[in-house]
């Protein structure tokens, strides 16, 4: 009994830390696993067996495959053609959601939303449609589209693996479409009839506003400046309160980014960004001629370009200030603005401590930007993507992906075998490189899933899941199979809004199976309920990565998701509990 209460205590504190978001989810879950090892609940093989199961290996392989597909030169052209024609808001919603849902059913939805967000924003600006009327529907379409197939979301693969571990067949490739497709149709009707009316009318002005903004101040170094030949740090220009030196124009060439040890020369033009008090602050420096700048940030023909990026839930940047991160030295760029809850943060940018969902605008150049490093902790919504001519070998990933879908659909091989083989063939045929493949894998997602398997193992081994089901069975005298289905769906859905979707699914699964075994029920419908409920995160921006992506770029508030998302959560519940018993018998 002691082991059960130790397990409950560890899981309780794990939930507390996940909800509070004090540390990234993978750190919290892995810490819980380590505590269970030290307490003697789990052995090391039991704790880490989840990292090498076929579900985790399949998800890792799919990250590689989808990353290669989404880099196909024709992909952006196709999406631009799809969104290209003039539409009204309602017809545009239908077109956008249908396309997004179709792509998302077979592709990882997070990179898909990253790719489509700037396209949707430009399209909405072109036809005078508020981006805030489109971006939440974009996220929802990606989420629900992912529910339709086994490959659409990692949650489906996780529950599929858990079912197989219990000795069942798991899901077929399109089995979940019995719920996913009706849910998508109802969600589409909801958005074009009532949902869009609940969305705010806010103009997405961040990028355009910043690109039309000039460097606030230009300071020219003359011969009376006492710090010629000294560094920015030594001259006292490193720790200005109202601004900072972003670039130096020297003899017609830019020095960017400017490091603290950069030497100052006679006739240098120091280009600074800050608020309107910047010029007054610089007047105390003898030998600097202060004047308004005529250099645009990221404007047409400018050497500088702006990147738009969101802080994801599990970023290592959370709680750090811009200065502590060291953007200039590590990433070859300078953060010029931070938006939170749709509003620009005031004060010196370098002192702002970042939170999940913050939108960053990073000034950089093609020569200095470090994309690979940035993408480890940021979700980039705008990058340099020069159009390339489509060559014959560019179709290799498309052909291999089509073959993978075919062999899985006809039941010739298991999805894990097909995905791992396809990823390996992409490497062998040089459609991707090992470094690109490694960087495309979302390691935080794999650590969360692998760690959650360890937590689930502890619940099964100690009998914590069985004990909880026995207590509830005694408390609920008339627990019918249908009511159990409703209960499992609601609890899983609440958990996924508070913690991560994969963790919610893995933790709920052993509890549901304990009920199923006690009542001699069919486990498959309850597994389906967990898979759907764990992905159906609509009412908070933190419940699902795609919601967080559109949160700041659409200038949304937290309650915008509550207003439009809760009715969709309820619709998802009704659709699921109506369809599941007919397709998958409860008894």
């Amino acid at each position: 009994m002691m082991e059960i209460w130790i397990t409950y205590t560890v899981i309780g504190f794990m939930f507390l830390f996940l909800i509070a978001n004090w540390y990234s989810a993978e750190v919290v879950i892995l810490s819980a696993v380590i505590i269970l090892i030290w307490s003697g609940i789990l052995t090391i093989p039991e704790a880490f067996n989840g990292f090498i199961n076929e579900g985790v290996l399949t998800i890792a392989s799919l990250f590689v495959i989808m990353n290669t597909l989404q880099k196909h030169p024709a992909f952006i052209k196709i999406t631009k053609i799809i969104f290209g024609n003039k539409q009204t808001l309602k017809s545009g919603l239908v077109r956008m959601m249908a396309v997004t849902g179709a792509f998302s059913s077979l592709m990882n939805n997070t990179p898909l939303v990253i790719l489509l967000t700037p396209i949707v924003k430009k399209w909405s600006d072109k036809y005078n449609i508020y981006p805030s009327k489109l971006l939440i529907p974009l996220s929802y379409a990606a989420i629900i589209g992912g529910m339709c197939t086994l490959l659409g979301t990692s949650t489906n693969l996780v529950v599929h693996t858990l079912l197989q571990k219990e000795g069942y067949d798991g899901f077929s490739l399109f089995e979940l479409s019995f719920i996913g497709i009706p849910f998508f149709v109802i969600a589409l009707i909801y958005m074009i009839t009532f949902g869009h009316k609940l969305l705010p009318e806010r103009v997405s002005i961040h990028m355009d506003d910043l690109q039309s903004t000039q460097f606030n101040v230009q300071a020219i170094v003359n011969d009376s400046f006492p710090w010629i030949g000294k560094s920015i740090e030594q001259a006292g220009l490193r720790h200005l309160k109202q601004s900072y030196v972003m670039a130096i124009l020297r003899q017609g060439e830019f020095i960017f980014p400017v490091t603290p040890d950069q030497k100052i020369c006679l006739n240098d033009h120091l280009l600074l960004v800050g608020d309107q008090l910047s010029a007054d602050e610089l007047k105390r420096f003898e030998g600097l001629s202060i004047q308004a700048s005529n250099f645009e940030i990221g404007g047409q023909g400018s050497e500088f370009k702006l990147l738009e990026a969101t802080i994801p839930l599990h970023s290592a940047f959370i709680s750090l200030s811009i200065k502590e991160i060291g953007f200039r030295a590590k990433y070859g760029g300078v953060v010029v603005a931070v938006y939170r809850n749709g509003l620009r943060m005031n004060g010196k940018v370098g002192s702002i401590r970042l939170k999940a969902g913050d939108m960053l605008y990073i000034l950089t150049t093609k020569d200095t930007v470090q994309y690979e490093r940035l993408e480890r902790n940021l979700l980039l919504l705008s990058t340099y993507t020069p159009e390339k001519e489509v060559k014959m070998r560019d179709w290799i990933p498309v052909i291999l992906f089509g073959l993978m879908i075919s062999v899985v659909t006809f039941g010739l091989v298991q999805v894990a075998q097909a995905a791992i083989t396809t990823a390996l063939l992409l490497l062998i045929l040089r459609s991707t490189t090992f470094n690109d493949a490694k960087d495309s894998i979302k390691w935080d997602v794999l650590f969360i899933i692998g760690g959650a398997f360890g937590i689930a193992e502890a619940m099964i081994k100690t009998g914590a899941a069985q004990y909880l089901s026995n207590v509830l069975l005694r408390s609920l005298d008339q627990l019918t199979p249908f009511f159990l289905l409703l209960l499992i769906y609601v609890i899983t859905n609440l958990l996924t809004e508070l913690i991560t979707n994969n963790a919610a699914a893995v933790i709920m699964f052993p509890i549901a199976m304990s009920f199923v075994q006690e009542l001699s029920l069919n486990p498959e419908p309850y597994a389906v309920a967990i898979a759907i409920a764990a992905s159906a995160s609509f009412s908070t921006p933190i419940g699902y990565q795609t919601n967080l992506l559109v949160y700041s770029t659409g200038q949304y508030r937290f309650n915008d998701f509550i207003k439009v998302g809760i009715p969709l959560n309820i619709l998802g519940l009704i659709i699921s509990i109506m369809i599941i018993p007919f397709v998958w018998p409860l008894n």
Side-chain angles (χ1 to χ4, degrees), residues 123-135:
W123 180 78
S124 64
D125 291 341
K126 185 177 180 180
Y127 297 115
N128 296 317
I129 298 172
Y130 291 105
S132 56
K133 292 287 189 182
L134 295 170
L135 291 174

Side-chain angles (χ1 to χ4, degrees), residues 423-436:
L424 186 59
L425 285 173
L426 289 172
L427 287 166
I428 292 171
L429 297 174
R430 297 183 179 177
S431 293
T432 189
T433 65
F434 180 78
N435 285 335
D436 280 346

Side-chain angles (χ1 to χ4, degrees), residues 334-347:
V334 177
V335 178
V336 296
V338 178
Y339 281 77
R340 182 175 298 162
N341 298 327
L343 300 174
R344 186 170 180 171
M345 299 288 289
N346 295 320

